[in-house]
Structure formats: structure tokens, C-alpha cells
């Protein structure tokens, strides 16, 4: 996993998962553009990488706009001469149930997650195609985008859209040798700290360095941000040249491939279906085993 000749941008990398990704890419040899809306966090992250012997610069911007995406690509090219890897990790939360979610709550999350992923990937793909040496687009998905999650209409919708974009980009960018994949991490972050079952373990990890128990690392596939980072390094490497259009989960000791939506049960009626015929057929054919929804609570499984 040597990335010595690679240049990467990692959005939202001032802390948390993004910082873990940026540090791991730099440790593998890549030059990294660290991005965050928090200027102090971005500069501190870049300084931390350089202090460890890596190459990094900070670019302060709130992702979402075309201007921010173009500035990130331009910073990579101006600082290191090229761009090989775009990692879109930046995100925010505005959790509320449907009937209490405001337009601003919805638009803010969609702007950062969905539009931010789109604009950054578009800017990166345009440059990579012109550069002519292929590339990697690695985006951040979520179990919420795969299954839905209570109180997260905006976040679940954005993450589901990101997964759909990856599948589309894998087809559109194939001829240019640019891969597009989503990482679905489950890690100890500010967000997962709000989950009651995880909170005491995350706090013990943060306050005392107490390792996460096997019940979480294996049973729940829940780990640290550093546990998720090797997947980003792998997907950025030449070893992953044939992998594209995938949603890949990682957390703790667990690595997983998420399925794509597909038909799982079908029925036919000569001449088409009436409402009455659907009502009669549903419980004994296509609706016999309906799909489950939601991110399962810890310890319950899928």
C-alpha cells in the first residue's frame, strides 16, 4: 500500500474519521490536502501530519459549493502538482423527526453531505480525466443511508443518494480508469457518542484510552476512526484498481460488502394487476417476507 506518488484531498479532516483518513494516507506516502471549515483544526491536522514526517497543507472551506470544490482541487495541484484521490468525508447532523424537521435542517445536511460530495467528486473527476492517469473517488456513506435511521430523514436521504451516485460514477468514469467507492464506517465519533449503548465505551476510550471490548469490535463491528482508515488507504492504492461502484463497510474487527438494491420477489398476472388482485396476492407472494428497516440497536443484529 505504497502511495508515495499520490496526492489526496480529504474533506472534513480536521478531526475524527477525516483526520484518521488523512493521517493514514500520509503515513502510506501520499501528499494530503487537509480540509475543514474550522481553520484551527485544519491547520493543526496538517501540522500534525508534517510533524510525523508526512506532506500536508490545509485548505479552509465549507464544502458544498462549486467554488469550495474547485479550490480544493486547485490547492492540491498548486501544492503538489497533481490530484489522484478525492475523499469526501465532511458532514454535519441536524437530527429531528419528520414533522419537526425544518427546511433549514434538511437543506443544511443535504448541502454538505450530498451536494458537497457531488461538487467535490465532479471537480476531481474533471481534473483526473484531463490529467489522464486515472484516479480514486472515495466517498463517505453510512448504515443510515443503507437502511434508514429514526430521526435522520435528511442524513439518511443524503447518504442513500451518495451510494446511488457511486454506482453511477463507476460506470461513467470507468473508461478514464477512475474508480468510485463508498466507505461505510462504524466508529467512535461525536455522532456515535450520542448512542446510549456506545457512549460509556466511547467516553472511556477518549478519557482513559480504554480499548473497546470485543463485544463491540466483533459483535457490532464498532471501532475507532483509525480502524476505518486502512480501507481508505487500500481503495486509494493500485491494489484496488479493479474495485468500483461498491459500498464497503468497516468498523472494529469487521469488514463487509453492502448489497445493492435489487428485486427479491416478483409475481405476474396476465393482463396486469388490479388493486384487488394485488391485495389478494401480496400476503402469499411478493409481500410474504417484507424487508426490515432501520439501523439495528446494538446487540440485536440485522
Amino acid at each position: 500500500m505504497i502511495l508515495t506518488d499520490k496526492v489526496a484531498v480529504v474533506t472534513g479532516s480536521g478531526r475524527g474519521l477525516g483526520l484518521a483518513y488523512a493521517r493514514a494516507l500520509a503515513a502510506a506516502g501520499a501528499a494530503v490536502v487537509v480540509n475543514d471549515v474550522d481553520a484551527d483544526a485544519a491547520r493543526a491536522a496538517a501540522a500534525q501530519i508534517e510533524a510525523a514526517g508526512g506532506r500536508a497543507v490545509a485548505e479552509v472551506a465549507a464544502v458544498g459549493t462549486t467554488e469550495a470544490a474547485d479550490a480544493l482541487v486547485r490547492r492540491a495541484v498548486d501544492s503538489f502538482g497533481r490530484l489522484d484521490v478525492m475523499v469526501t468525508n465532511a458532514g454535519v447532523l441536524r437530527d429531528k423527526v419528520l414533522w419537526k424537521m425544518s427546511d433549514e435542517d434538511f437543506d443544511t445536511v443535504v448541502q454538505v453531505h450530498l451536494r458537497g460530495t457531488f461538487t467535490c467528486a465532479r471537480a476531481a473527476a474533471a481534473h483526473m480525466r484531463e490529467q489522464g492517469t486515472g484516479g480514486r473517488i472515495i466517498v463517505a456513506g453510512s448504515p443510515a443511508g443503507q437502511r434508514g435511521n429514526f430521526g435522520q430523514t435528511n442524513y439518511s436521504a443524503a447518504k442513500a443518494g451518495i451510494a446511488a451516485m457511486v454506482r453511477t460514477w463507476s460506470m461513467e468514469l470507468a473508461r478514464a480508469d477512475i474508480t468510485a467507492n463508498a466507505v461505510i464506517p462504524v466508529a467512535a465519533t461525536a455522532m456515535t457518542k450520542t448512542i446510549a449503548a456506545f457512549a460509556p465505551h466511547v467516553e472511556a476510550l477518549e478519557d482513559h484510552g480504554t480499548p473497546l471490548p470485543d463485544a463491540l469490535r466483533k459483535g457490532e463491528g464498532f471501532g475507532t476512526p483509525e480502524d476505518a482508515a486502512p480501507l481508505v488507504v487500500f481503495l486509494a492504492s493500485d491494489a484496488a484498481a479493479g474495485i468500483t461502484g461498491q459500498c464497503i463497510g468497516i468498523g472494529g474487527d469487521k469488514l463487509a460488502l453492502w448489497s445493492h438494491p435489487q428485486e427479491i420477489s416478483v409475481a405476474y398476472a396476465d393482463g396486469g394487476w388490479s388493486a384487488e388482485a394485488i391485495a389478494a396476492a401480496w400476503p402469499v407472494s411478493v409481500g410474504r417476507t417484507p424487508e426490515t428497516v432501520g439501523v439495528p440497536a446494538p446487540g440485536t443484529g440485522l
Side-chain angles (χ1 to χ4, degrees), residues 146-165:
Q146 307 297 108
R147 297 184 53 82
N149 198 31
F150 189 95
Q152 291 192 317
T153 292
N154 44 12
Y155 182 74
S156 297
K159 292 302 189 182
I162 287 169
M165 290 195 300

Side-chain angles (χ1 to χ4, degrees), residues 28-110:
V32 181
V33 176
V34 174
N35 159 256
D36 205 279
V37 69
D38 183 331
D40 291 340
R43 290 166 186 149
Q48 184 182 128
I49 289 170
E50 289 194 311
R55 296 172 293 157
V57 295
E59 179 68 20
V60 179
V63 301
T65 66
T66 295
E67 291 75 17
D70 289 344
L72 289 168
V73 172
R74 186 166 55 248
R75 187 62 187 275
V77 176
D78 289 349
S79 298
F80 303 114
R82 57 186 296 111
L83 175 64
D84 303 284
V85 183
M86 172 62 76
V87 182
T88 62
N89 169 77
V92 296
L93 291 177
R94 298 290 188 275
D95 292 356
K96 287 187 177 72
V97 291
L98 173 61
W99 56 95
K100 293 183 178 181
M101 184 170 290
S102 68
D103 289 355
E104 183 180 2
D105 293 330
F106 185 86
D107 291 345
T108 297
V109 170
V110 170

Side-chain angles (χ1 to χ4, degrees), residues 18-288:
L19 176 57
Y21 299 158
R23 291 176 60 186
L25 289 165
V32 181
V33 176
V34 174
N35 159 256
D36 205 279
V37 69
D38 183 331
D40 291 340
R43 290 166 186 149
Q48 184 182 128
I49 289 170
E50 289 194 311
R55 296 172 293 157
V57 295
E59 179 68 20
V60 179
V63 301
T65 66
T66 295
E67 291 75 17
D70 289 344
L72 289 168
V73 172
R74 186 166 55 248
R75 187 62 187 275
V77 176
D78 289 349
S79 298
F80 303 114
R82 57 186 296 111
L83 175 64
D84 303 284
V85 183
M86 172 62 76
V87 182
T88 62
N89 169 77
V92 296
L93 291 177
R94 298 290 188 275
D95 292 356
K96 287 187 177 72
V97 291
L98 173 61
W99 56 95
K100 293 183 178 181
M101 184 170 290
S102 68
D103 289 355
E104 183 180 2
D105 293 330
F106 185 86
D107 291 345
T108 297
V109 170
V110 170
Q111 169 77 5
V112 176
H113 286 277
L114 188 62
R115 187 177 177 84
T117 297
F118 161 68
T119 54
C120 288
R122 180 180 60 183
H127 181 79
M128 289 171 183
R129 291 180 77 251
E130 182 180 338
Q131 192 170 266
T133 54
R136 304 283 186 270
I137 294 173
I138 304 167
V139 305
S142 168
Q146 307 297 108
R147 297 184 53 82
N149 198 31
F150 189 95
Q152 291 192 317
T153 292
N154 44 12
Y155 182 74
S156 297
K159 292 302 189 182
I162 287 169
M165 290 195 300
V166 157
R167 293 190 285 269
T168 299
W169 297 340
S170 70
M171 296 180 281
E172 294 178 344
L173 298 173
R175 290 185 63 182
D177 293 325
I178 301 169
T179 65
N181 293 286
V183 173
I184 315 292
V186 182
T189 63
M191 184 179 77
T192 54
K193 191 176 179 178
T194 64
I195 300 171
F198 292 155
H201 300 288
V202 176
E203 290 171 1
L205 176 67
E206 292 176 345
D207 297 342
H208 308 293
T210 306
L212 295 169
D214 278 356
L216 290 185
R217 292 189 59 84
K218 292 182 171 62
E220 302 298 332
F222 181 86
T224 66
E226 289 72 25
D227 288 321
L231 178 57
V232 173
V233 174
F234 167 67
L235 291 173
S237 75
D238 293 342
I243 301 171
T244 192
Q246 305 303 303
C247 292
I248 306 170
I250 191 164
D253 298 330
K254 181 180 178 181
L255 178 68
L257 180 66
W258 283 88
S259 66
H260 292 171
Q262 59 184 334
E263 295 175 342
I264 59 169
S265 181
V266 299
Y268 298 91
D270 291 340
W273 290 89
S274 66
E276 292 79 8
I278 294 171
W282 182 264
V284 296
S285 59
V286 294
R288 185 167 47 239

